Amino acid sequence: NIILKLAHKKNPQRCVVYGRTLNTLCCIQGLLRRGVKPHMITLAIPDLFSHMRDNYDTDEEILTEELALNPKACYDNYIEALLLRELESKGVQILRDVALSKIEADERKELSMVVFKKIGYVPEEPTEEEKKEGEEISRSEVDEEEKKVTEGQEEEEDLSEVKVQCKVLITAGYRDVDIAVFNALHNNSLVYNGRLIVDSNFQTNDPAIFAGGSLCAFSGKFKPQAAGKPLNMHHYNGREIGLRMATHLLDVNYPTIGAMEQSSLTENAVLSFTLPVGAGGMVSPSLYYYYIREPLHIPKQDPAITHRNSEIPQKEEELPPITQDKNSLVCNNLSKDFKGTYIRFTFNELGIIDSVLYVGSERVVLQSLWSLVGLHESYLNKIRSRHANGAIPNVSEFLSENWAISLYHDWFADFTLRVKREIQNTEELQALLGKVTDQLMEGKKFAKEDVEEIVSKIDPKTVKYIEDATVDYLRANQNHLPMYYVPGTEFE
């Protein structure tokens, strides 16, 4: 048993965890909970491009795909530095910016050592004094050193390598196909080009085989229709992909039933995935980590992404600053003993929430965070400006108050979608949207202020309809939302 070997009281063995994803931090917490000593764990963190594939067409595609296949552990530089420093303080050895280059076995063919190459290693230039000392070494001394080497003495150590003796190696990084799965695909003559290729119906080149998920990609013939959206399915929500594939499966095998479900889906809509994607886990004994984002929101310019691992400071006074700009909101109420919460929102130029990052000692309902992504900040009572003014010192507590319960209700998304469809069909709003579309076609970029100006032009009747629909929604769900006042219910 591997865990028994690692946690052996008299002769514990070293374990190396290799990767840069969230799985590495969660894996280490699992090892610690099962009795493995911190000083017997090594975390080796590779660079973003350490295991990059070579079948990319553009630099943009490289960055988009690699950040999805090999993401950083935390999408916040401050939090990642904090967690790594905590692990080191416990005794976990951390190797930054290294790439796995060799695995060595002993005479019993069991793992004995792993060798890492230091990424970007540059030998130090000798000082002037060292150069002079080297020139003063006599030829006889050089001959003596060479003689020692020939007699079995070890050669000079390669400073560009790091050797770690261990009995267990856990790889928790780059997401790629399992060799057994690849062989199964190959033996069945299925088209595989880095990913299993499917058409708009999720069918492979064998019409009897359907496939969907992170191992799959849509055919390249959809690239013109994709308008820049990636064809690889690992960018999208697995549940949404499964539902879409089930619909197409019905359409093929039961045309009458499937036609009803399929009526709104066309080949042009093959990449119209909207559900958020996310990750989460325990990153310390008392901290939960969740990161939820829009399916195509990959923050390429975020310092948490571009920051080199080796540059992450280790000392408390050198922790990187908490970065915040006009398109983000950060509220840090995390204490030194990891009590409290840390939450980060990112917004696009129009004020719509692109991502939510939560770190805290209190477990939250994941669906609550999930429901916030894609909403406009106005749904949150102008939380960004009020937090900046100091009116909301604790964002996490603010979003836990009674007023926000309706945002997390199961029917809220359905309510907002229904209202949007109703008002979009009005002539007044169609004309307004037509003008906006023309301006977009001309290349105009809309800022938050432009959107506010457009909203101010909406007919008062449309605004009244939205207000009435909201009251009806609250009235219909009073059994779950009794904290809201609904006009007229005081006499019921």
Side-chain angles (χ1 to χ4, degrees):
N1 189 299
I2 293 177
I3 295 296
L4 291 178
K5 185 183 291 187
L6 295 175
H8 196 280
K9 291 184 178 181
K10 293 183 178 180
N11 186 29
Q13 302 296 324
R14 177 167 291 279
C15 173
V16 174
V17 181
Y18 179 65
R20 67 191 299 271
T21 67
L22 179 64
N23 294 335
T24 57
L25 298 181
C26 296
C27 176
I28 290 176
Q29 292 304 317
L31 292 173
L32 294 175
R33 284 191 173 193
R34 285 162 177 78
V36 180
K37 301 299 182 184
H39 65 275
M40 298 305 294
I41 300 175
T42 296
L43 171 61
I45 308 175
D47 185 71
L48 172 62
F49 306 110
S50 295
H51 304 281
M52 185 178 69
R53 295 182 295 170
D54 56 2
N55 58 342
Y56 296 121
D57 297 327
T58 64
D59 292 341
E60 178 72 15
E61 187 180 2
I62 290 175
L63 200 56
T64 300
E65 293 300 323
E66 288 301 311
L67 286 172
L69 290 170
N70 200 17
K72 279 181 71 68
C74 299
Y75 281 83
D76 188 287
N77 204 35
Y78 172 80
I79 290 297
E80 181 163 333
L82 197 64
L83 295 174
L84 292 180
R85 189 193 66 187
E86 175 69 11
L87 289 177
E88 286 185 306
S89 69
K90 291 181 177 179
V92 176
Q93 179 190 20
I94 297 182
L95 305 176
R96 294 172 171 84
D97 288 332
V98 294
L100 183 63
S101 63
K102 191 189 302 182
I103 298 176
E104 298 183 1
D106 56 21
E107 62 277 0
R108 293 181 297 178
K109 295 185 178 181
E110 294 182 355
L111 176 65
S112 63
M113 180 183 294
V114 290
V115 181
F116 298 101
K117 278 284 185 184
K118 296 179 182 177
I119 301 171
Y121 172 76
V122 179
E124 294 183 5
E125 289 289 334
T127 63
E128 291 298 327
E129 292 183 0
E130 290 174 338
K131 288 180 180 179
K132 290 179 180 180
E133 290 177 1
E135 294 172 357
E136 294 173 358
I137 298 178
S138 63
R139 182 59 195 169
S140 60
E141 291 173 328
V142 173
D143 293 339
E144 186 67 24
E145 291 295 324
E146 291 178 351
K147 184 179 179 181
K148 288 181 180 179
V149 172
T150 58
E151 290 176 354
Q153 297 289 333
E154 291 186 3
E155 296 183 9
E156 185 178 353
E157 183 182 2
D158 186 354
L159 297 179
S160 67
E161 290 184 343
V162 180
K163 298 180 179 180
V164 182
Q165 292 184 339
C166 65
K167 286 297 182 181
V168 176
L169 171 64
I170 301 174
T171 57
Y174 202 86
R175 295 162 57 187
D176 211 345
V177 62
D178 181 83
I179 188 64
V181 175
F182 174 78
N183 289 334
L185 299 175
H186 179 73
N187 294 338
N188 285 278
S189 303
L190 300 180
V191 177
Y192 185 89
N193 183 21
R195 287 290 181 268
L196 179 60
I197 304 302
V198 300
D199 62 13
S200 61
N201 292 323
F202 293 84
Q203 285 176 293
T204 63
N205 55 301
D206 184 336
I209 299 178
F210 289 73
S214 59
L215 182 62
C216 305
F218 290 107
S219 171
K221 70 179 182 180
F222 296 114
K223 205 163 189 176
Q225 304 167 6
K229 295 179 181 178
L231 298 174
N232 292 334
M233 293 189 198
H234 57 241
H235 289 281
Y236 306 109
N237 184 292
R239 187 177 69 174
E240 187 174 18
I241 289 173
L243 289 171
R244 185 76 61 85
M245 185 174 71
T247 301
H248 288 286
L249 190 62
L250 272 175
D251 184 53
V252 172
N253 293 283
Y254 304 95
T256 304
I257 299 175
M260 294 185 291
E261 300 291 335
Q262 183 74 8
S263 59
S264 62
L265 296 176
T266 65
E267 288 196 352
N268 291 330
V270 70
L271 292 175
S272 60
F273 297 104
T274 58
L275 285 184
V277 295
M282 292 291 294
V283 290
S284 88
S286 61
L287 282 184
Y288 296 91
Y289 172 92
Y290 298 107
Y291 180 71
I292 316 294
R293 62 175 175 83
E294 287 277 19
L296 297 180
H297 173 69
I298 300 179
K300 302 180 182 65
Q301 304 304 319
D302 193 321
I305 305 302
T306 58
H307 210 344
R308 298 279 294 193
N309 292 309
S310 59
E311 294 174 354
I312 295 179
Q314 302 175 36
K315 298 179 180 179
E316 182 176 0
E317 60 270 22
E318 295 178 355
L319 279 175
I322 297 174
T323 57
Q324 183 172 348
D325 54 28
K326 64 177 183 178
N327 290 328
S328 64
L329 180 157
V330 180
C331 182
N332 181 19
N333 292 291
L334 206 60
S335 63
K336 290 185 178 181
D337 58 350
F338 286 172
K339 300 294 183 183
T341 60
Y342 177 101
I343 191 165
R344 170 189 288 271
F345 286 91
T346 59
F347 304 84
N348 65 13
E349 292 78 7
L350 302 180
I352 295 173
I353 299 173
D354 274 336
S355 68
V356 181
L357 181 146
Y358 170 88
V359 181
S361 55
E362 298 177 6
R363 190 168 188 171
V364 298
V365 179
L366 186 59
Q367 188 61 34
S368 299
L369 294 177
W370 208 279
S371 61
L372 296 177
V373 176
L375 294 181
H376 193 272
E377 63 175 315
S378 59
Y379 281 95
L380 308 185
N381 284 334
K382 298 182 179 179
I383 190 172
R384 192 162 25 155
S385 58
R386 294 174 67 189
H387 173 68
N389 295 334
I392 304 176
N394 191 319
V395 170
S396 182
E397 287 185 0
F398 179 68
L399 294 176
S400 301
E401 294 175 0
N402 283 342
W403 73 268
I405 300 300
S406 65
L407 300 178
Y408 314 133
H409 192 276
D410 291 344
W411 293 107
F412 184 73
D414 179 73
F415 157 69
T416 55
L417 182 62
R418 187 173 67 253
V419 171
K420 285 178 184 178
R421 286 176 177 172
E422 287 292 332
I423 63 176
Q424 283 176 354
N425 293 329
T426 62
E427 294 183 4
E428 169 256 339
L429 204 60
Q430 285 289 340
L432 195 57
L433 290 174
K435 292 180 182 178
V436 172
T437 302
D438 293 339
Q439 291 176 320
L440 287 172
M441 295 296 291
E442 294 171 359
K444 179 177 179 178
K445 294 184 178 180
F446 284 85
K448 179 182 174 183
E449 294 75 17
D450 298 320
V451 175
E452 291 176 350
E453 182 181 351
I454 293 171
V455 170
S456 67
K457 296 179 180 178
I458 295 178
D459 192 303
K461 292 182 180 178
T462 302
V463 176
K464 184 66 168 59
Y465 167 78
I466 296 173
E467 292 175 351
D468 292 342
T470 303
V471 172
D472 290 341
Y473 161 74
L474 293 175
R475 181 180 288 111
N477 295 283
Q478 271 286 285
N479 56 333
H480 294 144
L481 305 172
M483 67 289 298
Y484 290 90
Y485 167 70
V486 177
T489 57
E490 62 269 23
F491 302 110
E492 294 179 359

